[in-house]
Amino acid sequence: MAEGSESSWFGRFLIWRVKYVKESNFILVLSLLVGIVSGLAAILLKNMVHSTHVFFTERLQVDSGSLLFFVYPFIGICLTSLFVRYFVREDISHGVTKVLYAISRRNSMIKPHNSYSSLVASTITIGFGGSVGTEATIVLTGASIGSNLARFFRMNYKVMTLMIGCGAAAAIAGIFKAPIAGIVFTLEVLMLDLTMASLIPLMISAISSYVIVYFMMGDGIVLDFAVHDRFALANVPYYIILGICCGFLSVYFIRMNIRVEQFVAKIKNPFKKVLTGGALLGLLIYVFPPLYGEGYSALQDLLTDNADNILKNTYFFDWKSSTFMILLYVVGLVFVKVIATALTNGSGGVGGVFAPSLFTGGVGGYLVATLLNLSGVATVPVNYFVLAGMAGVMSGVMNSPLTAMFLIAEITGGYTLLVPLMITSVMAHLTGRGMESHSIYARRLAMKGDLITHNKDKAVLTLMKLDKVIETDLKTVSADASLGDLVKIVSRSCRNIFPVVDENEELLGIVLLDDIRKIMFNQDLYETTYVRDYMTTPPTVVNMEDPMDGVMRKFEDTGAWNLPVIGEGKYVGFVSKAKIFNTYRRVLQHFSDE
C-alpha cells in the first residue's frame, strides 16, 4: 500500500513539474543536485583512498626496500577482482571509456551500481598500491549520478547526456578543486556540441561541487606548490622542445598501455590473469616504489627540489646524493609507469590513466629540465618544467590541451605559467595527434566503431542504430521460381527490388524491376525462364555489426541507393540511403534544438 501511494505521489509530482516548472529551469535545479552529490562522492573517494594508503605505508622504513611493496599491490588486485567478479558482476574499469560508450550505444543510461561500485573497487586497488588514478573512477561515478538522477525524473536522452556531462564536470572539479578544468574536460572529452543551454548547467555543477569540497576539506589540493614568479621569455624554445618530447611520450603511453592490456587479456583463465598481472605489478612497484598508488607524492618531491626522496623505500637509498643515479632512476620511472598502470587495469584493478599521465609527464619534465641544466645549454626552472610536462603528456594522452592547461594552472595557482603551459600542451597535442588520432579513452571505442566524436556528422551517425533503419517489407523470391511466379510477387509488392534467397534464408542475389520490365508481360517466358536467369549480384552487402559511418562509406564507394543487410549469414532486409538521411536529419535536429 505504501509503495503504491509513493508511486502515485511521485507521478503527481512529475505532472506538477511538467505543468508549472519549465524544463530549462528544472535542468538548472537538476545540475545543482548533480554537482552537490558528485562533490560528496569526490570527498568520500579522496578520504577512503588516502586513509587506506596511509594505513599501509606509514610504518615502512624509508632507507631500504620492502617486500610489502610487492605483496600489497598483489593483494589489492586479488581483492578487487573478487569484488568485481562476485559482487558487481560487470567490468567497471576504464571509467571514461565506459561513459563515452554509454553516450554512444546505451542512450546515456549508466547502471545505478556505477554510482558506488567504482568507489569501492578503486579504493581497494589504489589503497593497496595499484598504479592508477582516481579520476576516471570519479568521472564514471559522477556521470552515473547524473544519468540516474535524470532517468529518475523521467528526462529524455538529450537531458540525460547533459547530466552525464554535469556529473563528469563536477567530479573533476571536486577531486582536483579545479572547476574550470572540470568544465573544459567535459567539453573536450565527452560532449557532442557546445551551446549556452549546456554550458550554464555545466558551470552550476562544477561550481557547486567545488564549493562543497572546499567547505568540507579546506583549501588543501593535490599538489602543494604555488607559482609566484613569471616565466622567462628566453625559455620559450625549451618549452617547445619539452612539448615535442611530451608528444612522443604520450604516443608511447597510449600504445604501450594498449599492448600490455592486450597481453594480459590473452590470459583467459581469470585466476592466472590475476596471478600473472598482480605478480608483475608487485615486482615493478618493489623495484620502483614511487609507482605505488597515484604517485602524487613523488611529483611533490620533484616540484620542491627534493628529487632524492624518490629513492626512499628502495635499495638505492644510499645513492640518493648521486645525480647520475637519480637521473637513471627517473628514466626508469618514465617508461615503466604506463606498464604498471596497464598491468593494474588489465589484471583486474579499477582505476584510470589520468594520474599516471600526469606522473609520466611530471617525471619527464624533470628529466628534460635536468638534462638541459647539466648540459650547460640553458638554465631552466626544474619545477616549472615538471608542471609543463604534466600538462604536455596529459594533453597528448587525452587529446585535451585546454583541460591539461587549466588543470595545472588551477591546482597550483600558476596562472602566470599559462603561456608555457599552453605552448607545451599544444606542441604535445600536435606531435601526438600526428601519430595517434584518438585519445587513450577513445582508442578502444574507435576500433569497434562505437566512438562518439566532436565531428557532428560522425557523432550523429554513431548515435544512429542500423537495426532502426532496416526495411523488411521487400518480397523475397526463390532462385528456382519461374518468371510467372516472380510477376505474381511483383504485383503484390510496392518495391522495385526483390531479394533472392535459398531455403536457408541466405542471400543469393537480387532482381531489379527495371531488369524485367520489358519482358514481364511476355507470357511465353513465364514457364520457360527462371529467377536465376535475371538475378544479379548486389555491389556489396551490409553486415549487422557494421557501424553507421561504415555503412555510409559503402554507399559512397558503390554509388548504390539500396543495399542488402546480412546478419549471421542470413538475409535480414535492406537499408536505403534515403531512410538514413531522413533519420540523420531527425537526430541532428534533436541535438541542435536549444
Side-chain angles (χ1 to χ4, degrees), residues 489-526:
I489 294 175
V490 171
S491 67
R492 300 194 303 268
S493 174
C494 59
R495 307 301 297 267
N496 59 1
I497 302 176
F498 301 91
V500 182
V501 298
D502 61 13
E503 62 276 6
N504 296 319
E505 293 298 315
E506 295 182 3
L507 183 70
L508 301 177
I510 59 174
V511 174
L512 300 177
L513 183 60
D514 288 342
D515 293 342
I516 63 170
R517 194 182 303 276
K518 294 180 180 180
I519 53 93
M520 63 184 296
F521 297 111
N522 187 347
Q523 297 184 7
D524 294 337
L525 300 175
Y526 278 14

Side-chain angles (χ1 to χ4, degrees), residues 430-452:
L430 294 176
T431 304
R433 192 66 180 264
M435 293 175 279
E436 282 289 341
S437 58
H438 297 299
S439 71
I440 193 169
Y441 298 133
R443 176 80 180 271
R444 297 175 184 84
L445 296 180
M447 291 189 293
K448 298 178 182 178
D450 291 329
L451 176 63
I452 200 164

Side-chain angles (χ1 to χ4, degrees), residues 47-63:
N47 281 286
M48 289 194 304
V49 169
H50 177 73
S51 299
T52 308
H53 181 95
V54 170
F55 177 80
F56 286 115
T57 61
E58 64 180 349
R59 289 178 291 274
L60 294 176
Q61 297 292 324
V62 300
D63 57 352

Side-chain angles (χ1 to χ4, degrees), residues 24 40 46 54 85 152 176 181 206 208 225-226 244 282 338 349 362 395 407 434 449 457 467 510 522 540 543 558 569:
S24 58
L40 293 174
K46 290 177 75 170
V54 170
R85 185 176 181 84
F152 178 76
F176 281 115
S208 58
F225 180 81
I244 295 172
V338 63
S395 170
L407 177 68
D457 289 333
D467 57 355
I510 59 174
N522 187 347
T540 188
N543 295 303
T558 61

